[in-house]
């Protein structure tokens, strides 16, 4: 692990000119309007309405009603001085069955949103897929089936045709690791399946969907469009320097990171991944030419980071801690790694139980930059959940979140200083929202939402982040 440079907390850091300051959301987490204007259920609608899957039976039926309140939310972003907004499109709002023509009423919502953003001087950054597969495609087999990748490419073309004249930043997939391995492996995310082979098949077809989707975007978008994929690469660390723990880290790096980076950026899956999972599958679902299709030119690689992944090797029959931060399940989201244990790193934790470790973000950025020189990076998600409350004065004071973001921006700045080409930072999230299987129990937002009245209140961290975004200068937050 790299020893961090000693820098006083009160010092001010200046980010490069043109560095993009933004915030991010996802469609199912904020939009609501689940049955309006032709939208049909996604896998998350079905999952959240299944008893026992989401905390206290919470659903995204209303979420925070962004579908009707988007103008208010854009105004909030403008008042905070943000330069960009990363949002996702609901596939089942635009193409309800996952096939056929687009529903114009669904596209019209995104047209209105993008126009509102542009009028406010905020750059739209569009993500095509943030986990909400149309339920009809899941009923036909979902991501473990090749046809879903082909459907995704057709959907990408529909959205590009509608919004390509005004959106310049496009992301194909958000965190495909979660879609494949939490959705089809451990079952803690939609669609809730627990089959390691299906999870590996889903991973390949998500990769293929990325490649086909990128081809569809290039065919429809103007030449100045910028394409990316957003990966939650795991900052993997061995618990000890032992050979066994390093071997555990290699296994998790293979199925957590290189399963995406290999085909997307190098045109091949890592051979050790095939060896690790040979007892599960022969990977015959990878057809000739697939990896060439997956390896499409990218303008940016977007990285999501929250906490490190600390692992060790476990002897057969020994106790196997599973504190990987990805929910409780009897089924593992790590196929081929049955002898790997997961440990929480020491020190402060967020309300999610995730260790606060900005040094791991520095390591992730510098290592990725060194392995893939010439490919600009952006931090597309970073943030923290804490127990936030509205005070007697009507304000929400959240110094721990501000300190978390400050420390991680320090890590980003140091990575830039040490040669990583990092072009922007998107704070997760703009709003408190539906936090997947945690429902409304966890708050990541820079803006507090009263889930009864839906009233929005910027937290003190949002006001601090606003000053950073407006000036491009990182200073210590009050009370940090």
């Amino acid at each position: 692990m790299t020893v961090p440079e000693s820098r006083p907390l009160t010092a001010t850091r200046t980010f490069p000119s043109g560095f993009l300051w933004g915030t991010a959301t996802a469609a199912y987490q904020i939009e609501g309007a689940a049955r309006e204007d032709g939208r049909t259920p996604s896998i998350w609608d079905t999952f959240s309405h299944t008893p026992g899957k989401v905390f206290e039976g919470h659903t995204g039926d209303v979420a925070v009603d962004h579908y009707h309140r988007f103008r208010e939310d854009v105004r909030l972003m403008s008042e905070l001085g943000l330069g960009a907004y990363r949002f996702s499109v609901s596939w089942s709002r635009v193409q309800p069955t996952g096939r056929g023509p687009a529903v114009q009423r669904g596209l019209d919502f995104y047209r209105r949103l993008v126009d509102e953003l542009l009028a406010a001087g905020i750059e739209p950054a569009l993500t095509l897929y943030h986990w909400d597969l149309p339920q009809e495609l899941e009923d036909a087999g979902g991501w473990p089936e090749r046809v879903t990748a082909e459907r995704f490419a057709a959907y990408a073309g529909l959205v590009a045709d509608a919004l390509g004249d005004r959106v310049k930043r496009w992301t194909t997939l958000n965190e495909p690791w979660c879609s494949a391995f939490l959705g089809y492996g451990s079952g803690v995310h939609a669609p809730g399946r627990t089959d390691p082979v299906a999870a590996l098949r889903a991973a390949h077809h998500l990769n293929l969907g990325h490649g086909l989707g990128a081809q569809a975007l290039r065919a429809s978008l103007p030449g100045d469009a910028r394409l990316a994929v957003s990966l939650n690469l795991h900052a993997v660390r061995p618990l000890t320097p032992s050979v066994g723990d390093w071997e555990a880290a290699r296994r998790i790096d293979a199925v957590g990171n290189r399963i995406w980076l290999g085909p997307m950026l190098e045109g091949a899956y890592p051979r050790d991944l095939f060896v690790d999972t040979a007892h599960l599958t022969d990977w015959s679902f990878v057809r000739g030419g697939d990896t060439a299709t997956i390896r499409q030119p990218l303008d940016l690689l977007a990285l999501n980071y929250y906490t490190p992944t600390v692992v060790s090797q476990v002897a057969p029959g020994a106790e196997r801690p599973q504190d990987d931060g990805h929910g409780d399940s009897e089924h593992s989201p790590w196929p081929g790694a049955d002898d790997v244990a997961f440990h929480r790193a020491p020190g402060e934790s967020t309300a999610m139980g995730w260790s606060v470790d900005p040094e791991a973000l520095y390591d992730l950025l510098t290592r990725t930059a060194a392995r893939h020189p010439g490919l600009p990076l952006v931090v597309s998600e970073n943030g923290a959940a804490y127990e936030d409350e509205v005070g007697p004065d009507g304000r929400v004071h959240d110094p721990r979140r501000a300190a978390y973001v400050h420390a991680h921006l320090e890590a980003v700045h140091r990575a830039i200083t040490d040669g990583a080409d990092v072009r922007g930072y998107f704070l997760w999230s703009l709003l408190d929202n539906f936090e997947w299987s945690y429902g409304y129990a966890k708050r990541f937002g820079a803006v507090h939402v009263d889930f009864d009245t839906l009233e929005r209140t910027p937290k003190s961290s949002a006001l601090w982040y606003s000053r950073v975004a407006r000036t491009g200068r990182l200073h210590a937050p009050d009370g940090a």
Side-chain angles (χ1 to χ4, degrees):
M1 181 173 66
T2 306
V3 176
E5 173 192 347
S6 177
R7 304 201 288 185
L9 186 65
T10 55
T12 299
R13 313 295 175 205
T14 301
F15 279 75
S17 175
F19 190 86
L20 198 62
W21 298 97
T23 188
T25 64
Y28 188 73
Q29 293 184 273
I30 66 166
E31 283 183 4
R35 299 174 184 86
E36 293 187 34
D37 293 335
R39 185 185 180 277
T40 56
S42 73
I43 55 175
W44 268 98
D45 294 276
T46 302
F47 188 80
S48 66
H49 281 270
T50 302
K53 296 297 186 182
V54 174
F55 177 78
E56 292 190 350
H58 295 171
T59 76
D61 288 1
V62 176
V64 296
D65 199 31
H66 175 74
Y67 191 78
H68 299 112
R69 298 169 182 255
F70 71 92
R71 290 186 175 87
E72 174 187 355
D73 294 336
V74 172
R75 185 167 63 251
L76 274 170
M77 286 183 263
S78 179
E79 291 170 353
L80 292 172
L82 301 180
Y85 174 51
R86 178 176 173 249
F87 64 96
S88 76
V89 172
S90 167
W91 189 346
S92 57
R93 192 180 297 286
V94 167
Q95 193 188 34
T97 64
R99 54 176 62 83
V103 172
Q104 292 304 313
R105 289 172 296 172
L107 284 172
D108 284 345
F109 166 70
Y110 297 105
R111 291 184 177 107
R112 293 191 298 269
L113 171 62
V114 167
D115 288 347
E116 196 78 11
L117 289 166
L118 293 173
I122 299 169
E123 185 172 3
L126 185 153
T127 298
L128 285 167
Y129 187 73
H130 199 132
W131 307 352
D132 46 357
L133 185 72
Q135 183 61 44
E136 286 200 25
L137 290 185
E138 174 59 24
D139 293 342
W143 282 109
E145 299 302 320
R146 187 180 189 88
V147 68
T148 305
E150 297 164 355
R151 297 294 185 196
F152 176 74
Y155 155 69
L158 292 175
V159 181
D161 288 342
L163 297 173
D165 62 335
R166 62 198 92 176
V167 175
K168 302 304 180 187
R169 294 182 179 271
W170 294 76
T171 297
T172 53
L173 307 175
N174 178 78
E175 297 186 354
W177 185 88
C178 294
S179 297
F181 297 113
L182 300 184
Y184 294 92
S186 67
V188 299
H189 277 193
R193 291 162 62 178
T194 55
D195 179 347
V197 178
L200 291 168
R201 290 176 60 91
H204 175 63
H205 295 134
L206 282 154
N207 273 327
L208 184 61
H210 159 75
L212 293 171
Q215 289 179 338
L217 292 176
R218 293 288 188 198
S220 297
L221 294 174
D224 60 347
R226 300 177 64 80
L227 267 58
V229 65
S230 186
L231 304 177
N232 59 319
L233 296 183
H234 297 78
V236 186
R237 293 174 174 167
L239 181 66
T240 75
S242 70
V243 173
D245 288 1
W246 276 105
E247 168 62 11
R250 180 203 61 74
R251 284 178 177 268
I252 298 308
D253 182 54
V255 77
N257 297 335
R258 289 180 287 120
I259 192 172
W260 316 109
L261 295 173
M264 287 184 180
L265 300 184
E266 299 169 8
Y269 282 101
R271 295 299 308 172
D272 57 328
L273 173 68
F274 289 172
V275 173
D276 293 344
T277 58
H279 63 292
L280 296 170
T281 177
D282 61 4
W283 288 79
S284 58
F285 47 82
V286 180
R287 299 182 185 175
D290 279 1
T291 52
T293 298
I294 294 167
R295 187 186 187 185
Q296 296 297 314
L298 294 176
D299 301 296
L300 287 167
L301 178 62
L303 305 181
N304 297 352
Y305 170 80
Y306 294 92
T307 192
T309 302
V310 181
V311 299
S312 66
Q313 189 174 59
V314 178
E319 184 179 354
R320 182 170 173 253
Q322 283 299 290
D323 197 353
D324 64 0
H326 294 299
D328 295 327
S329 173
E330 296 178 357
H331 304 273
S332 173
W334 305 99
D338 292 340
D339 60 348
V340 175
F342 295 81
H343 309 267
R344 184 183 301 185
E348 180 190 352
S349 295
T350 70
M352 296 290 289
W354 296 347
S355 301
V356 177
D357 191 336
E359 185 65 18
L361 175 58
Y362 169 85
D363 291 344
L364 195 62
L365 291 170
T366 52
R367 290 174 184 173
T368 304
R371 179 157 184 171
H372 304 285
L375 180 59
L377 307 176
V378 63
V379 178
S380 45
E381 286 185 26
N382 177 243
Y386 290 107
E387 304 293 338
D388 304 319
E389 296 181 358
V390 179
D393 59 357
R395 299 179 180 179
V396 182
H397 189 51
D398 61 337
R400 294 181 69 194
R401 180 175 291 103
Y404 175 101
V405 176
H406 176 271
H408 286 77
L409 283 173
E410 277 266 336
V412 174
H413 186 274
R414 186 158 53 89
I416 294 171
T417 301
D418 290 346
D421 185 8
V422 186
R423 303 285 182 89
Y425 177 92
F426 288 81
L427 176 65
W428 185 270
S429 174
L430 173 65
L431 302 161
D432 290 336
N433 55 43
F434 177 85
E435 185 49 41
W436 306 114
S437 59
Y438 295 94
Y440 298 98
K442 304 297 183 185
R443 294 179 177 271
F444 276 88
V447 175
H448 180 276
V449 178
D450 183 314
F451 294 128
D452 294 322
T453 67
L454 300 179
E455 179 180 1
R456 276 83 156 134
T457 304
K459 303 173 187 178
S460 60
S461 64
L463 303 179
W464 167 79
Y465 184 62
S466 171
R467 295 196 298 274
V468 176
R470 290 178 187 277
T471 64
R473 295 170 63 84
L474 178 63
H475 56 276
D478 297 336

